[in-house]
Structure formats: structure tokens, C-alpha cells
Amino acid sequence: MTSKKRQQLVDTAIELFYAHGFHGVGIDRIAEAAHVSKKTMYHHFRSKEELILAALKHRDSLFRNNFMKAVEAAADTPRERLLAVFDVAQAWFSDNKFYGCMFINAVGEYAEPDTAIRAACKNFKRQMLAYIEELAQDAGLERPKQVAAALSILLEGSTVTAQVSENPDCARIARHAAEVLVEQALPGPRDRPPSLSPDSPV
């Protein structure tokens, strides 16, 4: 029962923080929505920051696992999976409960460096980048690390743009750019645009 109540608080906190922001949601509101007393809440979490950290870590695990499963289900080959990252993002952006990236939102509200909250957000982004780099390696691309960094920036940019502009087609636009990057990174001689020359940072 204790474990169930704790998870109930975490799940409720994720939903409320994601939709309304971290500063916009207080302890009382979370306790009420989770149908627990404040005493029970403080039994599991000594502070709101501790609850935020638990929510971010659980969101990290859930999001990445679901995202990766969706990518694997959307494509059969490594190269197709690399581009399917943007197809999965497209579906995410089109959801009526899309409020941007929870981790970008968290950094926006807790911008102080060297905090546990910021570290949790940075860890999520590192893990997502590592996943894209793994896909790039599996696809046999030249300089997979650099290509993954560029694709990650496309994904991040489209996520923020979709949130701010409320335009769900951002992922489709990013996918077109990703196709060019992937094509230019395939092994073999070809004309490369200046941005993807051997001396380019990407």
C-alpha cells in the first residue's frame, strides 16, 4: 500500500507538472488530486523538490521506453528507424495533451546550474542523444556521433517550435532535413554540401 501511494503521488505529479508547470502546482493540489493527505505525501517526499525529482526520473524512464518501442515498431531497418524518430515525434506533437518536453520546461523554471533538477534533465537529454547515436551507428553512417548531434538538435528544435507555435507539422519539416543529413552521411563518394564537409562540426 505504501508503494502504491507513492507511485500514485508520482503519477499525479507528472500529469499536473506537465500540464501546468512546476511552480504553478502546489503540494496541496497534488495531494488532493492523488487522494492522499499531506501527511502521507510528506511521509514519502520530504519536499516538493524531492517529488519533482521523482517525477522527472519516472517520466524519463516511461518516455524513453515508450519512444524507443514506437520507433522500433515504426520501421524495420536501422536507417528507417533513424528517420522514424521524427515520425514518432510527429505523433507526440499531435497529441492533444502535448505540452512540450517536460525536461526543457523544468530547466526553464529551474535554470540555476548544478542543481539536482537540472542534472536529471541533462541526464535525460544525454540518454536520448545516446539512443540516436546508436541508431546512427546501426545505420552504418559515417561520423555517427556528429550526425546524431545534428539530428538531436533537429528533434529538440522541432519540439520547442511545436510547443510554442502549436504547429504539429514541425516534426515533418525536421524529418526532411534529417533525410538530407542521413543521405550525406551514407558511406561512399558523393557531393556533400558545405555544412557536411569533412571539416564541418556536423
Side-chain angles (χ1 to χ4, degrees):
M1 182 62 70
T2 298
S3 177
K4 182 179 179 181
K5 288 292 185 182
R6 187 184 189 280
Q7 190 59 51
Q8 190 172 325
L9 282 164
V10 170
D11 292 340
T12 302
I14 289 173
E15 183 177 351
L16 291 175
F17 288 148
Y18 185 49
H20 306 288
F22 297 90
H23 292 316
V25 177
I27 290 294
D28 289 341
R29 185 174 180 182
I30 295 170
E32 181 180 359
H35 306 292
V36 302
S37 66
K38 286 179 67 175
K39 181 180 179 180
T40 297
M41 172 174 282
Y42 283 116
H43 172 73
H44 294 290
F45 304 101
R46 292 170 294 179
S47 66
K48 181 180 176 181
E49 180 176 304
E50 194 172 293
L51 176 57
I52 290 173
L53 281 171
L56 287 172
K57 289 177 181 178
H58 190 58
R59 171 73 174 182
D60 178 336
S61 177
L62 281 177
F63 184 91
R64 284 191 296 110
N65 285 336
N66 290 336
F67 194 91
M68 292 176 190
K69 286 178 181 177
V71 168
E72 296 297 315
D76 296 324
T77 69
R79 182 184 174 192
E80 288 171 346
R81 290 190 190 106
L82 193 55
L83 296 175
V85 164
F86 296 92
D87 298 329
V88 174
Q90 178 69 39
W92 177 35
F93 299 166
S94 301
D95 192 288
N96 59 6
K97 290 186 178 180
F98 170 71
Y99 303 109
C101 171
M102 188 172 181
F103 300 90
I104 293 175
N105 296 345
V107 169
E109 293 195 49
Y110 295 91
E112 300 84 358
D114 302 322
T115 64
I117 289 175
R118 193 176 184 89
C121 297
K122 289 170 70 175
N123 181 66
F124 170 78
K125 295 302 180 183
R126 279 194 298 267
Q127 294 293 335
M128 287 295 290
L129 174 58
Y131 174 60
I132 294 173
E133 184 176 339
E134 181 182 337
L135 292 176
Q137 290 173 340
D138 291 344
L141 302 186
E142 296 178 350
R143 299 182 301 143
K145 192 177 187 69
Q146 291 88 340
V147 174
L151 296 178
S152 180
I153 288 173
L154 282 174
L155 178 60
E156 296 294 339
S158 63
T159 302
V160 174
T161 304
Q163 179 184 11
V164 175
S165 69
E166 298 181 348
N167 177 7
D169 287 331
C170 293
R172 289 195 182 97
I173 297 170
R175 191 186 196 282
H176 291 318
E179 288 172 354
V180 175
L181 286 168
V182 170
E183 178 66 27
Q184 291 298 322
L186 291 172
R190 60 179 51 80
D191 294 330
R192 299 177 184 271
S195 62
L196 289 175
S197 67
D199 297 327
S200 169
V202 298

